[in-house]
Amino acid sequence: MEIIIQPDSRTASAVAARIVAARVREKPHAVLGFATGATPLEMYRALVDMHKTEGLDFGLVTAFNLDEYVGLPANHPGSYRTYMREHLFRHINIAPDRINIPDGATPDIPTCCRGYEERIHAAGGIDIQILGIGTDGHLGFNEPTSSLASRTRIKTLTAQTRRDNAAIFGGERKVPHHVITMGLGTIMACRTCLLLAFGEKKARAVAAAVEGPLTAMVPASVLQMHPQAVFVLDEEAASLLTRTDYYKWVYANKPDWQKS
Ligand code: GLP
């Protein structure tokens, strides 16, 4: 695991955007996995900025989103399809037929989930999967006790996650109970996992994921088994880690050939 700690979310988002941009430049056909939530917004703004000012080209990129709510029409303001369109896709030159988001309105969830896995496979696998982390340590919508080997499937949200995500729905009661999410096994198959976490409210989950035991009770701890997992944190999200001096030294002294 590589732990990158930055003074604030703005500089952390810029670091993460540079990692993604470097991959797109070296591999124009890159397959990118996208996440939603408040955390990646500044990174998406930085990528849009690089597209506009530096000509960062998404024309051949394929996108797969982590998850989607079940039962919402695609244009619902709370859907992740709407989120992605508003915060990233409509600002860059990604081809609409290369955008993949689980269809939360499907009448046949098992077939939709199987098809999603097949599409990821057919695209050659995901090069970089961007991740946030839930306050309970979830990845995507893989709540605690999710199988560490799981694949894309339907999941039921915890009360905590429904509370955390209530704002956009105008109240907890309106948050769907069910979601389709890539599984932890799906995420583990991505070549690079790039997890962003900002703010004190993520500190406990980050510490448990990075320095705690590997356990399905903290789904993000599965990344301890990933060969290329990068955590980009602000100081607050890193505040409960015990080895911050070491992580900072490693990053500051990275050999040139390892830098992106
Ligand atoms: C939701 C998403 C996750 C995201 C998490 C954290 O549960 N499904 O992918 O990481 O929220 O969201 P935020 O970044 O708003 O804290």
Side-chain angles (χ1 to χ4, degrees):
M1 290 170 125
E2 180 177 14
I3 315 297
I4 302 175
I5 302 169
Q6 294 289 300
D8 53 46
S9 64
R10 199 180 57 79
T11 51
S13 300
V15 167
R18 276 205 302 279
I19 293 171
V20 174
R23 190 65 60 96
V24 171
R25 287 195 179 104
E26 80 193 14
K27 183 177 177 188
H29 277 94
V31 179
L32 301 181
F34 288 110
T36 51
T39 308
L41 286 175
E42 280 180 288
M43 186 194 67
Y44 291 153
R45 276 197 289 275
L47 287 172
V48 169
D49 199 48
M50 287 182 198
H51 169 65
K52 293 195 167 143
T53 62
E54 301 168 21
L56 182 64
D57 188 1
F58 292 89
L60 297 174
V61 162
T62 299
F64 283 94
N65 258 75
L66 272 175
D67 47 12
E68 180 59 287
Y69 292 101
V70 166
L72 297 184
N75 60 358
H76 187 284
S79 82
Y80 286 161
R81 191 170 285 277
T82 302
Y83 170 107
M84 289 307 298
R85 186 179 59 238
E86 288 310 309
H87 296 296
L88 186 65
F89 294 152
R90 75 186 180 88
H91 305 289
I92 59 176
N93 65 329
I94 190 161
D97 61 349
R98 290 179 187 270
I99 293 172
N100 299 278
I101 300 177
D103 177 8
T106 179
D108 183 350
I109 290 174
T111 303
C112 166
C113 295
R114 254 194 321 276
Y116 204 63
E117 289 283 333
E118 283 163 13
R119 291 215 300 280
I120 294 172
H121 183 72
I126 295 172
D127 289 301
I128 298 194
Q129 176 61 55
I130 295 153
L131 296 163
I133 186 169
T135 53
D136 59 2
H138 72 224
L139 291 184
F141 271 135
N142 292 281
E143 297 285 31
T145 70
S146 286
S147 158
L148 301 183
S150 50
R151 292 281 167 171
T152 304
R153 70 218 184 288
I154 190 169
K155 283 295 289 181
T156 306
L157 297 180
T158 62
Q160 176 65 52
T161 298
R162 292 181 65 245
R163 264 195 301 281
D164 287 348
N165 291 350
I168 189 120
F169 289 93
E172 195 183 322
R173 279 190 318 116
K174 298 186 186 153
V175 181
H177 283 270
H178 293 105
V179 293
I180 295 174
T181 181
M182 278 186 205
L184 294 170
T186 319
I187 293 167
M188 289 296 283
C190 302
R191 287 179 196 97
T192 297
C193 286
L194 181 62
L195 186 146
L196 280 65
F198 308 140
E200 203 190 328
K201 67 178 190 301
K202 297 294 172 71
R204 238 159 43 103
V206 166
V210 174
E211 296 180 345
L214 171 61
T215 166
M217 286 302 284
V218 181
S221 67
V222 75
L223 294 174
Q224 294 175 18
M225 297 286 288
H226 195 284
Q228 184 68 32
V230 183
F231 282 62
V232 186
L233 311 171
D234 67 2
E235 287 282 358
E236 289 182 3
S239 58
L240 295 179
L241 292 170
T242 61
R243 301 287 176 105
T244 48
D245 290 348
Y246 173 68
Y247 308 138
K248 287 180 181 176
W249 194 94
V250 170
Y251 186 62
N253 293 281
K254 225 172 155 174
D256 281 343
W257 60 268
Q258 271 192 338
K259 289 180 184 157
S260 52

